[in-house]
Amino acid sequence: VADWFTKKNAEDGWALKGKIDTTKFIAMGHSTGGTTRLICAKRDKRFVACVAYGAGAPKELKGDCTPAVLLLTGSNNDEKAAIALYKKFEKPKVRVTVDGMDHYFRPVNKYAPVVAKYTVAFLDAIFKNDEKAVAVLKGEEAVVVESDR
């Protein structure tokens, strides 16, 4: 994906030509997609942040992972796996557990806005150094188990 955007960003006739910072990408994914994005962010240093929802802890991640990372899970997920995964990352990192949410954010109408809120707060905290966003990461809907923010 990063290579595709880098190529398109230089392509004549593309509506977004020259408008994308191809030195800084953010990877996001859910479940296996989240795990895949974590691996991608480890391998390609253009990924400066990663948001993983309900991701597993692949053996490939051995504690030397440097992108900023948000690991977001529901309290009905495997807490042990979330803790193990969190420990594999360097700072800045945030692990949020949303009370009552399952792996699929159900019921969606209740939890999708909560997931969006914490995702935006994480990105604003990392990229804008926004103290209000940092405060959101410690909000009522979530149990922030570990955070270096």
Side-chain angles (χ1 to χ4, degrees):
V1 172
D3 290 338
W4 183 87
F5 273 107
T6 299
K7 180 181 174 187
K8 291 297 278 184
N9 198 45
E11 194 175 286
D12 287 333
W14 194 49
L16 297 176
K17 181 182 179 184
K19 296 180 179 177
I20 297 173
D21 181 351
T22 57
T23 64
K24 295 180 183 176
F25 288 95
I26 301 164
M28 294 178 144
H30 172 255
S31 196
T32 302
T35 303
T36 304
R37 298 311 169 263
L38 292 167
I39 293 168
C40 180
K42 177 189 178 196
R43 290 181 179 169
D44 189 334
K45 299 305 177 199
R46 292 176 293 180
F47 288 92
V48 296
C50 186
V51 179
Y53 309 110
K59 293 177 184 174
E60 181 172 334
L61 301 177
K62 300 186 190 300
D64 58 349
C65 300
T66 57
V69 66
L70 168 64
L71 303 173
L72 195 142
T73 61
S75 60
N76 297 339
N77 283 4
D78 182 1
E79 195 69 11
K80 227 181 214 185
I83 292 168
L85 183 57
Y86 180 82
K87 290 179 179 178
K88 294 179 181 240
F89 287 88
E90 297 177 10
K91 297 178 180 181
K93 59 184 178 178
V94 177
R95 182 167 71 88
V96 176
T97 302
V98 180
D99 190 35
M101 185 176 78
D102 74 3
H103 184 73
Y104 300 100
F105 314 149
R106 290 181 293 209
V108 173
N109 62 338
K110 179 177 181 180
Y111 293 114
V114 175
V115 170
K117 174 182 175 178
Y118 286 99
T119 301
V120 170
F122 171 74
L123 296 173
D124 283 350
I126 296 299
F127 293 104
K128 296 180 180 177
N129 252 345
D130 185 332
E131 289 303 316
K132 289 181 183 177
V134 172
V136 167
L137 294 173
K138 299 175 183 175
E140 297 172 0
E141 298 101 329
V143 178
V144 179
V145 180
E146 300 178 78
S147 175
D148 73 10
R149 291 297 305 170

